[in-house]
């Protein structure tokens, strides 16, 4: 998970809101109304929720009590969502279907797989790499996840290690006792796909570096390191997180900064200035129907309004440190959440009140 517990409220045209939420994450649009039901006396909602999971709804495998209260407001008498909800998480070591089943069991109502956005879900957009031979690293069902994203030709770190056993030299117990014959029949790797953190960091790092240095041909010698190197597609780059263990880490760049950056992007696209954020071809593929995105920070995660965080400038510095992606320009104003509330139930009540919906 990201270290901050946060959620976002997204505003869109009534029947377009879900396409907007999914376009934000690189997913296909869905049929209007799927996943929620509107009573005969209610108009179609013009807003929806993007809910972070860890720190907002659950802590590890324990449901946060306020989440159950929140969904009592969000569900109708038939157990259907009254307004659209999408669940977002930095997790990537699980199948989308399995995560939906997990959430259904925890929250007590049916969560559809299409309502779950994993950390690597936006990689569905990168169709130019889907046909390339990609080295995939991570844990869990990495091959199934890669194929679900559209990647048709993947090789795992373990498969590469077996093909070139002399490359995996960190673990002395796994070093080959004899020198194997060199291989020249292994197809070249054309890119690297990082689906979250691996279990054996040393093996993955070693083999990924060998692939990059050899330009995808780890069985050959390296004269000079190629530049630019092979493309590396990475998800879940945030190493600061918290589950059951109470380790106080804080990185507002993951949730609040991202939500506010998305809101700024929406405002710019409304003025036909999308390319200023470097959207380029991605914007052309998935124009968003969302109009705004409000970030709401809850205090059931790591965040505490009384505790000093990493958003304060270091001594002698004018601006706080930037822990976001290197391709994002830093804007201190994007660190601040639109609202800070105690828990997700209070957040839902806040949004309902602002939208004129009965809770």
């Amino acid at each position: 998970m990201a270290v901050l517990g946060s959620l976002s409220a997204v505003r869109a045209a009534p029947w377009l809101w879900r396409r907007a939420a999914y376009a934000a994450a690189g997913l296909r649009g869905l049929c209007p109304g799927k996943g929620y039901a509107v009573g005969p006396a209610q108009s179609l909602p013009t807003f929806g929720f993007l809910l972070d999971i860890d720190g907002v709804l659950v802590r590890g495998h324990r449901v946060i009590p306020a989440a159950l209260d929140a969904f009592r407001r969000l569900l109708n008498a038939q157990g259907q969502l009254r307004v659209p909800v999408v669940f977002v998480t930095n997790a990537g070591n699980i199948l989308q279907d399995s995560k939906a089943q997990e959430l259904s069991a925890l929250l007590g109502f049916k969560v559809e797989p299409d309502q779950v956005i994993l950390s690597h879900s936006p990689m569905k957009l990168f169709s130019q790499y889907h046909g390339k031979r990609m080295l995939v690293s991570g844990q869990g069902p990495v091959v199934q996840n890669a194929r679900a994203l559209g990647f048709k030709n993947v090789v795992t770190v373990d498969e590469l290690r077996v093909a070139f056993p002399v490359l995996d030299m960190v673990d002395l117990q796994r070093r080959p006792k004899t020198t194997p014959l060199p291989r020249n029949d292994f197809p070249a790797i054309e890119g690297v796909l990082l689906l979250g953190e691996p279990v054996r960091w040393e093996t993955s790092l070693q083999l990924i570096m060998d692939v990059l240095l050899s330009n995808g041909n780890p069985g050959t010698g390296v004269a000079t390191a190629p530049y630019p190197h092979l493309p590396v597609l990475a998800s879940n780059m945030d190493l600061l997180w918290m589950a059951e263990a109470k380790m106080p880490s804080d990185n507002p760049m993951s949730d609040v900064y991202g939500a506010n950056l998305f809101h700024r992007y929406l405002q710019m696209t409304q003025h036909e200035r999308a390319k200023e954020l470097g959207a380029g071809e991605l914007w052309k593929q998935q124009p968003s129907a969302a109009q705004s995105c409000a970030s709401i920070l809850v205090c059931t995660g790591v965040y505490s309004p009384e505790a000093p965080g990493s958003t304060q400038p270091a001594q002698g510095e004018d601006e706080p440190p930037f822990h976001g992606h290197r391709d994002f320009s830093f804007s201190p104003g994007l660190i601040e959440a639109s609202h800070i509330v105690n828990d997700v139930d209070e957040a839902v009540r806040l949004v309902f009140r602002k939208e004129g919906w009965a809770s």
Side-chain angles (χ1 to χ4, degrees):
M1 66 164 283
V3 295
L4 288 179
S6 72
L7 60 97
S8 299
V10 178
R11 172 177 288 278
W15 62 275
L16 288 176
W17 92 267
R18 180 162 296 217
R19 185 190 304 171
Y22 281 68
L27 302 178
R28 59 182 175 84
L30 296 180
C31 297
K34 182 178 179 182
Y36 71 100
V38 178
Q42 287 182 317
S43 59
L44 286 172
T46 60
F47 65 98
F49 291 95
L50 300 175
L51 297 178
D52 191 10
I53 297 174
D54 292 298
V56 176
L57 305 179
V58 301
R59 171 64 57 79
H61 297 285
R62 179 181 61 85
V63 180
I64 295 173
L68 299 178
D69 295 332
F71 279 102
R72 277 191 281 269
R73 303 179 192 280
L74 290 168
L75 296 172
N76 62 19
Q78 290 73 42
Q80 298 171 307
L81 287 167
R82 300 167 57 202
V83 298
V85 173
V86 170
F87 302 89
V88 295
T89 176
N90 281 357
N93 59 346
I94 190 172
L95 294 172
Q96 198 173 21
D97 288 2
S98 300
K99 192 65 177 179
Q101 293 174 12
E102 180 184 295
L103 287 171
S104 298
L106 289 170
L107 300 176
F109 72 96
K110 176 66 173 177
V111 175
E112 299 290 343
D114 282 338
Q115 289 177 267
V116 177
I117 298 177
L118 303 172
S119 61
H120 47 63
S121 296
M123 289 187 179
K124 289 186 177 182
L125 279 176
F126 292 85
S127 56
Q128 67 269 39
Y129 299 106
H130 288 171
K132 295 184 179 296
R133 184 170 171 82
M134 304 291 289
L135 173 66
V136 59
S137 173
Q139 59 179 290
V142 291
V143 173
Q144 296 95 313
N145 273 327
R147 288 175 177 163
L149 294 170
F151 295 93
K152 303 176 181 64
N153 189 1
V154 297
V155 55
T156 66
V157 170
D158 281 339
E159 290 171 337
L160 183 64
R161 179 181 66 83
V162 171
F164 300 97
V166 295
L167 296 181
D168 186 21
M169 300 298 285
V170 178
D171 187 343
L172 299 180
Q173 299 299 318
R174 297 209 301 191
R175 288 188 180 183
K177 306 305 180 186
T178 59
T179 302
L181 295 175
R183 290 190 58 171
N184 55 12
D185 60 341
F186 195 83
I189 293 172
E190 299 173 283
V192 179
L193 186 61
L194 305 180
L195 301 182
E197 65 277 2
V199 176
R200 298 181 66 101
W201 285 87
E202 73 284 354
T203 294
S204 293
L205 287 173
Q206 179 65 69
L207 269 64
I208 288 171
M209 290 299 298
D210 290 336
V211 166
L212 295 178
L213 289 172
S214 64
N215 203 32
N217 296 280
T220 62
V222 178
T224 58
Y227 186 84
H229 58 66
L230 295 175
V232 178
L233 310 183
S235 65
N236 193 9
M237 301 289 287
D238 185 8
L239 298 182
L240 297 177
W241 63 288
M242 175 176 171
E244 290 93 345
K246 296 185 180 299
M247 294 298 295
S249 302
D250 200 353
N251 184 359
M253 306 304 172
S254 294
D255 294 19
V256 173
Y257 196 91
N260 290 338
L261 188 64
F262 179 48
H263 174 74
R264 176 179 288 184
Y265 168 78
L266 292 174
Q267 304 311 300
M268 293 175 68
T269 58
Q270 290 178 17
H271 294 87
E272 299 181 348
R273 292 188 288 126
K275 290 188 177 180
E276 291 186 21
L277 274 183
E281 294 301 317
L282 297 185
W283 164 249
K284 294 178 183 178
Q285 291 179 29
Q286 295 285 349
S288 178
Q291 299 170 0
S292 63
C293 179
S295 58
I296 306 175
L297 178 61
V298 301
C299 299
T300 50
V302 177
Y303 175 79
S304 171
E306 289 81 21
S310 61
T311 62
Q312 301 301 318
Q315 187 174 2
E317 300 292 335
D318 295 329
E319 293 184 346
F322 182 53
H323 301 295
H325 196 280
R326 66 180 183 180
D327 292 338
F328 292 162
S329 59
F330 178 47
S331 177
L334 297 181
I335 297 177
E336 303 297 328
S338 304
H339 306 279
I340 299 178
V341 297
N342 289 319
D343 51 49
V344 65
D345 184 45
E346 185 178 336
V348 170
R349 286 187 279 122
L350 169 68
V351 174
F352 275 13
R353 185 169 64 251
K354 287 184 171 294
E355 296 293 335
W357 270 58
S359 59

Coordinates of all heavy atoms in Angstrom, one line a residue, residues 134-138 142-143 146 154-159 191-195 204 208:
M134 N 9.4 -9.8 -23.1 CA 9.6 -9.0 -21.9 C 10.1 -9.9 -20.8 O 9.5 -11.0 -20.5 CB 8.4 -8.3 -21.5 CG 7.8 -7.4 -22.5 SD 8.8 -5.9 -22.9 CE 8.5 -5.0 -21.4
L135 N 11.1 -9.5 -20.1 CA 11.5 -10.2 -18.8 C 10.6 -9.6 -17.7 O 10.6 -8.4 -17.5 CB 13.0 -9.9 -18.5 CG 13.5 -10.4 -17.2 CD1 13.5 -12.0 -17.1 CD2 14.9 -9.9 -16.9
V136 N 9.9 -10.5 -17.0 CA 8.9 -10.1 -16.0 C 9.5 -10.5 -14.6 O 9.9 -11.6 -14.4 CB 7.5 -10.7 -16.2 CG1 7.5 -12.2 -16.3 CG2 6.6 -10.1 -15.2
S137 N 9.4 -9.5 -13.7 CA 9.9 -9.7 -12.3 C 8.8 -9.3 -11.4 O 8.0 -8.4 -11.6 CB 11.2 -8.9 -12.1 OG 11.5 -8.9 -10.7
G138 N 8.7 -10.0 -10.3 CA 7.7 -9.7 -9.2 C 7.5 -10.9 -8.4 O 8.3 -11.8 -8.3
V142 N 2.9 -13.7 -11.7 CA 3.4 -12.7 -12.6 C 3.1 -13.0 -14.1 O 2.8 -12.0 -14.8 CB 4.9 -12.5 -12.4 CG1 5.2 -11.9 -11.0 CG2 5.7 -13.8 -12.6
V143 N 3.1 -14.2 -14.5 CA 2.9 -14.5 -15.9 C 1.4 -14.3 -16.2 O 1.1 -13.7 -17.2 CB 3.3 -16.0 -16.2 CG1 2.8 -16.3 -17.6 CG2 4.8 -16.2 -16.0
A146 N 0.8 -10.5 -16.3 CA 1.4 -9.9 -17.5 C 0.5 -10.2 -18.7 O 0.3 -9.3 -19.5 CB 2.8 -10.5 -17.7
V154 N 6.4 -13.4 -22.6 CA 7.1 -13.0 -21.4 C 8.0 -14.2 -21.0 O 7.7 -15.4 -21.3 CB 6.1 -12.7 -20.2 CG1 5.3 -11.4 -20.6 CG2 5.2 -13.8 -19.9
V155 N 9.1 -13.8 -20.3 CA 10.0 -14.8 -19.7 C 10.2 -14.4 -18.3 O 10.4 -13.2 -18.0 CB 11.3 -14.9 -20.5 CG1 12.0 -13.5 -20.6 CG2 12.3 -15.9 -19.9
T156 N 10.2 -15.3 -17.4 CA 10.4 -15.0 -16.0 C 11.8 -15.0 -15.6 O 12.7 -15.5 -16.3 CB 9.6 -16.0 -15.1 OG1 10.3 -17.3 -15.2 CG2 8.2 -16.1 -15.5
V157 N 12.1 -14.4 -14.4 CA 13.5 -14.4 -13.9 C 14.0 -15.8 -13.7 O 15.1 -16.1 -14.0 CB 13.6 -13.5 -12.6 CG1 14.9 -13.7 -12.0 CG2 13.3 -12.0 -12.9
D158 N 13.1 -16.7 -13.2 CA 13.5 -18.0 -12.9 C 13.9 -18.8 -14.2 O 14.8 -19.5 -14.3 CB 12.4 -18.8 -12.2 CG 12.4 -18.5 -10.7 OD1 13.5 -18.0 -10.2 OD2 11.4 -18.7 -10.0
E159 N 13.1 -18.5 -15.3 CA 13.4 -19.1 -16.6 C 14.7 -18.6 -17.1 O 15.5 -19.4 -17.7 CB 12.3 -18.8 -17.6 CG 11.0 -19.6 -17.2 CD 9.8 -19.1 -18.1 OE1 9.8 -18.0 -18.6 OE2 8.8 -19.9 -18.2
G191 N 12.6 -6.0 -23.4 CA 12.2 -5.1 -22.4 C 12.1 -5.8 -21.1 O 12.1 -7.0 -21.0
V192 N 11.9 -5.0 -20.0 CA 11.8 -5.5 -18.7 C 10.5 -5.0 -18.1 O 10.1 -3.8 -18.2 CB 13.0 -5.0 -17.8 CG1 12.8 -5.5 -16.3 CG2 14.3 -5.5 -18.4
L193 N 9.8 -5.9 -17.4 CA 8.5 -5.6 -16.8 C 8.5 -5.9 -15.4 O 8.7 -7.0 -14.9 CB 7.4 -6.5 -17.5 CG 5.9 -6.2 -17.2 CD1 5.5 -4.8 -17.5 CD2 5.1 -7.3 -17.9
L194 N 8.4 -4.8 -14.5 CA 8.5 -4.9 -13.1 C 7.1 -4.8 -12.5 O 6.5 -3.8 -12.4 CB 9.4 -3.9 -12.5 CG 10.8 -3.8 -13.1 CD1 11.6 -2.7 -12.4 CD2 11.6 -5.1 -12.9
L195 N 6.6 -6.0 -12.1 CA 5.2 -6.0 -11.5 C 5.3 -6.1 -9.9 O 4.9 -7.1 -9.3 CB 4.4 -7.2 -12.0 CG 4.2 -7.2 -13.5 CD1 3.4 -8.4 -13.9 CD2 3.6 -5.9 -14.0
S204 N 16.9 -11.1 -8.9 CA 16.2 -10.3 -9.9 C 17.1 -9.1 -10.3 O 17.2 -8.8 -11.5 CB 14.9 -9.8 -9.3 OG 14.0 -10.9 -9.1
I208 N 18.4 -8.6 -14.1 CA 17.9 -7.5 -14.8 C 19.0 -6.6 -15.3 O 19.0 -6.1 -16.5 CB 16.9 -6.7 -13.9 CG1 15.6 -7.5 -13.7 CG2 16.6 -5.3 -14.5 CD1 14.7 -6.9 -12.7

